[in-house]
Amino acid sequence: MNRNGPLALLFHALFVVFMIAPLAVVIWMSFTPDNLLKLPTTTLSLRWFYAILNNQQFINAFGLSILLGVIAATLAILLSVPAALALSRYRFPGRDGLVAFFLSPLIIPHVVLGVAFLRFFTQAGITGSFAALLGSHVLVIFPYGLRLVLASLTASDPALERAAVSLGASNWTVFKRVVLPMMIPGVAGGWVISFIQSFDEVTMTVFVATPSSMTLPVRIYHYIEESIDPLVASVSTVVIFGTFLLMFVVDRIYGLDRMLVGPTK
Protein backbone atom coordinates (compact mmCIF):
# COMPACT_ATOMS: atom_id res chain seq x y z
CA MET A 1 0.00 0.00 0.00
CA ASN A 2 1.32 3.44 -0.95
CA ARG A 3 1.37 5.96 1.87
CA ASN A 4 1.64 9.71 1.58
CA GLY A 5 4.81 11.21 2.95
CA PRO A 6 4.98 14.07 5.49
CA LEU A 7 5.24 16.72 2.74
CA ALA A 8 2.19 15.33 0.92
CA LEU A 9 0.17 15.25 4.14
CA LEU A 10 1.23 18.81 4.97
CA PHE A 11 0.28 20.00 1.50
CA HIS A 12 -3.16 18.40 1.72
CA ALA A 13 -3.70 19.81 5.21
CA LEU A 14 -2.80 23.31 4.04
CA PHE A 15 -5.07 22.91 1.01
CA VAL A 16 -8.01 21.87 3.20
CA VAL A 17 -7.40 24.81 5.55
CA PHE A 18 -7.14 27.19 2.59
CA MET A 19 -10.52 26.00 1.28
CA ILE A 20 -12.37 25.90 4.61
CA ALA A 21 -10.95 28.99 6.33
CA PRO A 22 -12.98 31.59 4.35
CA LEU A 23 -16.20 29.66 4.98
CA ALA A 24 -15.39 29.37 8.69
CA VAL A 25 -14.77 33.11 8.95
CA VAL A 26 -18.06 33.95 7.21
CA ILE A 27 -19.98 31.55 9.48
CA TRP A 28 -18.30 32.98 12.57
CA MET A 29 -19.06 36.59 11.58
CA SER A 30 -22.73 35.74 11.00
CA PHE A 31 -23.16 35.22 14.76
CA THR A 32 -21.94 38.67 15.75
CA PRO A 33 -24.35 40.87 17.73
CA ASP A 34 -22.75 44.04 16.34
CA ASN A 35 -23.77 46.18 13.39
CA LEU A 36 -20.54 45.69 11.47
CA LEU A 37 -18.92 42.72 9.75
CA LYS A 38 -16.47 41.60 12.41
CA LEU A 39 -15.73 38.50 14.42
CA PRO A 40 -17.68 38.22 17.69
CA THR A 41 -15.35 38.44 20.67
CA THR A 42 -17.64 38.22 23.69
CA THR A 43 -21.08 36.81 22.89
CA LEU A 44 -22.78 35.03 20.02
CA SER A 45 -26.13 36.16 18.66
CA LEU A 46 -28.78 34.99 16.20
CA ARG A 47 -29.77 38.59 15.54
CA TRP A 48 -28.84 38.60 11.87
CA PHE A 49 -30.53 35.26 11.20
CA TYR A 50 -33.79 36.70 12.50
CA ALA A 51 -33.14 39.72 10.28
CA ILE A 52 -33.34 37.47 7.21
CA LEU A 53 -36.97 36.71 8.00
CA ASN A 54 -37.73 40.43 8.00
CA ASN A 55 -36.03 41.07 4.67
CA GLN A 56 -38.52 40.17 1.95
CA GLN A 57 -36.06 41.00 -0.82
CA PHE A 58 -33.69 38.21 0.23
CA ILE A 59 -36.56 35.76 0.70
CA ASN A 60 -37.92 36.52 -2.77
CA ALA A 61 -34.44 36.30 -4.30
CA PHE A 62 -33.85 32.93 -2.65
CA GLY A 63 -37.15 31.57 -3.96
CA LEU A 64 -36.36 32.85 -7.46
CA SER A 65 -32.90 31.26 -7.40
CA ILE A 66 -34.33 27.88 -6.34
CA LEU A 67 -37.06 27.97 -9.00
CA LEU A 68 -34.67 29.16 -11.69
CA GLY A 69 -32.05 26.56 -10.79
CA VAL A 70 -34.50 23.66 -10.80
CA ILE A 71 -36.08 24.57 -14.15
CA ALA A 72 -32.78 25.51 -15.81
CA ALA A 73 -31.02 22.32 -14.65
CA THR A 74 -33.96 20.18 -15.81
CA LEU A 75 -34.03 21.81 -19.25
CA ALA A 76 -30.25 21.54 -19.56
CA ILE A 77 -30.38 17.79 -18.83
CA LEU A 78 -33.28 17.27 -21.24
CA LEU A 79 -31.16 18.89 -23.95
CA SER A 80 -28.00 17.06 -22.88
CA VAL A 81 -29.44 13.55 -23.18
CA PRO A 82 -30.17 13.55 -26.96
CA ALA A 83 -27.00 15.55 -27.65
CA ALA A 84 -24.87 13.07 -25.66
CA LEU A 85 -26.54 10.09 -27.37
CA ALA A 86 -25.77 11.51 -30.82
CA LEU A 87 -22.17 12.44 -29.95
CA SER A 88 -21.34 9.15 -28.19
CA ARG A 89 -23.02 6.69 -30.56
CA TYR A 90 -22.38 8.22 -33.99
CA ARG A 91 -19.38 9.43 -35.94
CA PHE A 92 -20.12 12.10 -38.53
CA PRO A 93 -18.33 15.03 -40.22
CA GLY A 94 -18.13 18.05 -37.96
CA ARG A 95 -18.65 16.07 -34.77
CA ASP A 96 -15.60 17.53 -33.02
CA GLY A 97 -16.62 21.02 -34.05
CA LEU A 98 -20.11 20.41 -32.67
CA VAL A 99 -18.64 19.24 -29.35
CA ALA A 100 -16.51 22.39 -29.18
CA PHE A 101 -19.57 24.52 -29.95
CA PHE A 102 -21.63 22.88 -27.19
CA LEU A 103 -18.81 23.38 -24.67
CA SER A 104 -17.95 26.92 -25.76
CA PRO A 105 -19.83 28.60 -22.85
CA LEU A 106 -17.13 27.18 -20.59
CA ILE A 107 -14.39 29.23 -22.24
CA ILE A 108 -16.27 32.45 -22.99
CA PRO A 109 -15.96 34.97 -20.11
CA HIS A 110 -19.29 35.43 -18.38
CA VAL A 111 -18.90 39.20 -18.63
CA VAL A 112 -18.89 38.84 -22.42
CA LEU A 113 -21.92 36.54 -22.25
CA GLY A 114 -23.69 39.02 -19.99
CA VAL A 115 -23.17 41.92 -22.39
CA ALA A 116 -24.26 39.77 -25.33
CA PHE A 117 -27.40 38.60 -23.52
CA LEU A 118 -28.22 42.16 -22.45
CA ARG A 119 -28.02 43.35 -26.05
CA PHE A 120 -30.00 40.40 -27.40
CA PHE A 121 -32.77 40.53 -24.81
CA THR A 122 -33.05 44.29 -25.15
CA GLN A 123 -33.62 43.92 -28.87
CA ALA A 124 -36.15 41.15 -28.21
CA GLY A 125 -37.94 43.24 -25.58
CA ILE A 126 -37.72 40.64 -22.79
CA THR A 127 -34.96 42.14 -20.62
CA GLY A 128 -35.41 41.23 -16.96
CA SER A 129 -38.09 38.63 -17.61
CA PHE A 130 -37.99 35.12 -16.18
CA ALA A 131 -37.71 33.76 -19.73
CA ALA A 132 -34.55 35.80 -20.28
CA LEU A 133 -33.01 34.57 -17.03
CA LEU A 134 -33.98 30.98 -17.81
CA GLY A 135 -32.62 31.02 -21.36
CA SER A 136 -29.29 32.55 -20.32
CA HIS A 137 -28.84 30.12 -17.41
CA VAL A 138 -29.67 27.08 -19.55
CA LEU A 139 -27.02 28.09 -22.08
CA VAL A 140 -24.38 28.65 -19.39
CA ILE A 141 -24.98 25.39 -17.46
CA PHE A 142 -25.67 23.16 -20.47
CA PRO A 143 -21.97 22.13 -20.90
CA TYR A 144 -21.81 20.79 -17.32
CA GLY A 145 -24.77 18.48 -17.83
CA LEU A 146 -23.54 17.43 -21.27
CA ARG A 147 -20.08 16.48 -20.03
CA LEU A 148 -21.37 14.20 -17.26
CA VAL A 149 -24.06 12.55 -19.40
CA LEU A 150 -21.55 12.10 -22.22
CA ALA A 151 -19.01 10.59 -19.81
CA SER A 152 -21.55 8.04 -18.54
CA LEU A 153 -22.45 7.00 -22.10
CA THR A 154 -18.83 6.81 -23.21
CA ALA A 155 -18.02 4.50 -20.30
CA SER A 156 -20.96 2.19 -21.08
CA ASP A 157 -20.69 -0.86 -23.34
CA PRO A 158 -22.50 -0.46 -26.72
CA ALA A 159 -22.53 -4.25 -27.03
CA LEU A 160 -25.37 -4.36 -24.50
CA GLU A 161 -27.52 -2.26 -26.81
CA ARG A 162 -26.69 -4.45 -29.82
CA ALA A 163 -27.51 -7.55 -27.80
CA ALA A 164 -30.92 -6.11 -26.85
CA VAL A 165 -31.66 -5.25 -30.50
CA SER A 166 -30.63 -8.75 -31.62
CA LEU A 167 -33.10 -10.19 -29.13
CA GLY A 168 -35.95 -8.23 -30.70
CA ALA A 169 -36.18 -5.19 -28.45
CA SER A 170 -37.51 -1.99 -30.01
CA ASN A 171 -35.52 1.25 -29.97
CA TRP A 172 -37.68 2.63 -27.15
CA THR A 173 -37.24 -0.58 -25.12
CA VAL A 174 -33.47 -0.47 -25.63
CA PHE A 175 -33.37 3.12 -24.44
CA LYS A 176 -35.65 2.52 -21.45
CA ARG A 177 -34.22 -0.82 -20.26
CA VAL A 178 -30.55 -0.57 -21.29
CA VAL A 179 -29.36 2.94 -22.13
CA LEU A 180 -31.26 4.94 -19.50
CA PRO A 181 -30.07 2.88 -16.49
CA MET A 182 -26.48 3.34 -17.68
CA MET A 183 -27.08 7.09 -17.99
CA ILE A 184 -28.64 7.61 -14.56
CA PRO A 185 -25.38 8.47 -12.71
CA GLY A 186 -24.45 11.02 -15.38
CA VAL A 187 -27.97 12.46 -15.51
CA ALA A 188 -28.21 12.76 -11.71
CA GLY A 189 -24.72 14.19 -11.35
CA GLY A 190 -25.22 16.54 -14.30
CA TRP A 191 -28.48 17.84 -12.82
CA VAL A 192 -26.94 18.54 -9.42
CA ILE A 193 -23.87 20.27 -10.88
CA SER A 194 -26.06 22.27 -13.28
CA PHE A 195 -28.34 23.35 -10.43
CA ILE A 196 -25.38 24.48 -8.34
CA GLN A 197 -23.91 26.43 -11.25
CA SER A 198 -27.25 28.11 -11.94
CA PHE A 199 -27.85 28.95 -8.27
CA ASP A 200 -24.33 30.35 -7.91
CA GLU A 201 -24.16 32.32 -11.18
CA VAL A 202 -23.70 36.05 -10.62
CA THR A 203 -21.35 37.60 -13.22
CA MET A 204 -23.60 37.02 -16.22
CA THR A 205 -26.85 37.37 -14.28
CA VAL A 206 -25.97 40.92 -13.18
CA PHE A 207 -26.46 42.04 -16.78
CA VAL A 208 -29.73 40.17 -17.30
CA ALA A 209 -31.52 40.66 -13.97
CA THR A 210 -33.56 43.71 -13.01
CA PRO A 211 -34.57 44.99 -9.54
CA SER A 212 -37.76 42.94 -9.77
CA SER A 213 -36.03 39.72 -10.90
CA MET A 214 -32.82 39.41 -8.87
CA THR A 215 -31.41 36.04 -7.93
CA LEU A 216 -29.88 35.56 -4.49
CA PRO A 217 -26.21 36.00 -5.57
CA VAL A 218 -27.08 39.22 -7.43
CA ARG A 219 -29.08 40.47 -4.44
CA ILE A 220 -26.09 39.80 -2.15
CA TYR A 221 -23.77 41.55 -4.61
CA HIS A 222 -25.89 44.69 -4.68
CA TYR A 223 -26.50 44.60 -0.92
CA ILE A 224 -22.75 44.61 -0.25
CA GLU A 225 -22.47 47.76 -2.35
CA GLU A 226 -25.00 49.54 -0.13
CA SER A 227 -24.38 48.16 3.36
CA ILE A 228 -21.68 46.55 5.48
CA ASP A 229 -23.86 44.92 8.13
CA PRO A 230 -23.56 41.15 8.84
CA LEU A 231 -26.83 40.28 7.10
CA VAL A 232 -24.93 39.01 4.05
CA ALA A 233 -22.86 36.77 6.33
CA SER A 234 -25.97 35.23 7.85
CA VAL A 235 -27.50 34.68 4.40
CA SER A 236 -24.26 33.07 3.24
CA THR A 237 -24.21 30.84 6.31
CA VAL A 238 -27.74 29.63 5.59
CA VAL A 239 -26.72 28.83 1.99
CA ILE A 240 -23.56 27.01 3.17
CA PHE A 241 -25.40 24.82 5.67
CA GLY A 242 -28.24 24.27 3.21
CA THR A 243 -25.73 23.02 0.64
CA PHE A 244 -24.06 20.70 3.14
CA LEU A 245 -27.45 19.34 4.18
CA LEU A 246 -28.49 18.77 0.56
CA MET A 247 -25.25 16.95 -0.27
CA PHE A 248 -25.55 14.84 2.91
CA VAL A 249 -29.11 13.78 2.03
CA VAL A 250 -28.14 12.99 -1.56
CA ASP A 251 -25.15 10.98 -0.35
CA ARG A 252 -27.26 8.96 2.11
CA ILE A 253 -30.03 8.28 -0.41
CA TYR A 254 -28.10 7.77 -3.64
CA GLY A 255 -24.38 8.21 -3.02
CA LEU A 256 -22.23 11.09 -4.25
CA ASP A 257 -19.55 8.77 -5.61
CA ARG A 258 -22.12 6.82 -7.62
CA MET A 259 -23.76 10.00 -8.87
CA LEU A 260 -20.60 11.83 -9.92
CA VAL A 261 -18.30 8.95 -10.81
CA GLY A 262 -20.65 6.12 -11.62
CA PRO A 263 -21.11 2.65 -10.17
CA THR A 264 -17.89 0.97 -9.11
CA LYS A 265 -17.10 -2.56 -10.06
Side-chain angles (χ1 to χ4, degrees), residues 94-162:
R95 176 184 177 276
D96 293 337
L98 191 59
V99 172
F101 174 75
F102 284 154
L103 300 182
S104 60
L106 294 176
I107 61 175
I108 300 176
H110 284 199
V111 173
V112 176
L113 287 175
V115 174
F117 282 136
L118 176 62
R119 176 66 176 173
F120 175 78
F121 293 139
T122 300
Q123 292 292 325
I126 57 174
T127 304
S129 65
F130 184 79
L133 284 172
L134 181 60
S136 57
H137 276 235
V138 169
L139 188 145
V140 169
I141 67 177
F142 172 73
Y144 297 96
L146 177 64
R147 287 299 300 170
L148 287 178
V149 176
L150 189 59
S152 65
L153 286 174
T154 303
S156 63
D157 188 0
L160 297 176
E161 301 173 41
R162 294 193 293 267

Side-chain angles (χ1 to χ4, degrees), residues 21-218:
L23 300 180
V25 171
V26 170
I27 294 172
W28 193 3
M29 286 193 300
S30 67
F31 290 96
T32 181
D34 300 317
N35 294 324
L36 298 177
L37 276 169
K38 65 178 184 179
L39 298 177
T41 56
T42 56
T43 59
L44 300 179
S45 172
L46 297 176
R47 170 188 176 185
W48 295 106
F49 291 96
Y50 290 120
I52 299 176
L53 301 177
N54 298 323
N55 193 308
Q56 194 61 38
Q57 290 182 333
F58 274 108
I59 295 176
N60 293 339
F62 180 77
L64 178 61
S65 293
I66 293 292
L67 178 64
L68 180 63
V70 169
I71 299 178
T74 302
L75 290 177
I77 291 300
L78 291 177
L79 294 174
S80 298
V81 169
L85 285 171
L87 294 173
S88 63
R89 294 296 185 260
Y90 301 99
R91 296 292 182 268
F92 50 87
R95 176 184 177 276
D96 293 337
L98 191 59
V99 172
F101 174 75
F102 284 154
L103 300 182
S104 60
L106 294 176
I107 61 175
I108 300 176
H110 284 199
V111 173
V112 176
L113 287 175
V115 174
F117 282 136
L118 176 62
R119 176 66 176 173
F120 175 78
F121 293 139
T122 300
Q123 292 292 325
I126 57 174
T127 304
S129 65
F130 184 79
L133 284 172
L134 181 60
S136 57
H137 276 235
V138 169
L139 188 145
V140 169
I141 67 177
F142 172 73
Y144 297 96
L146 177 64
R147 287 299 300 170
L148 287 178
V149 176
L150 189 59
S152 65
L153 286 174
T154 303
S156 63
D157 188 0
L160 297 176
E161 301 173 41
R162 294 193 293 267
V165 172
S166 67
L167 294 174
S170 63
N171 292 334
W172 170 246
T173 302
V174 172
F175 174 79
K176 182 175 65 173
R177 302 294 296 273
V178 180
V179 179
L180 187 58
M182 294 188 295
M183 291 172 54
I184 289 298
V187 170
W191 191 93
V192 171
I193 296 299
S194 298
F195 173 80
I196 293 174
Q197 291 296 325
S198 175
F199 188 91
D200 191 52
E201 170 57 41
V202 61
T203 306
M204 177 271 298
T205 311
V206 167
F207 292 90
V208 182
T210 61
S212 60
S213 61
M214 282 190 184
T215 60
L216 184 61
V218 176

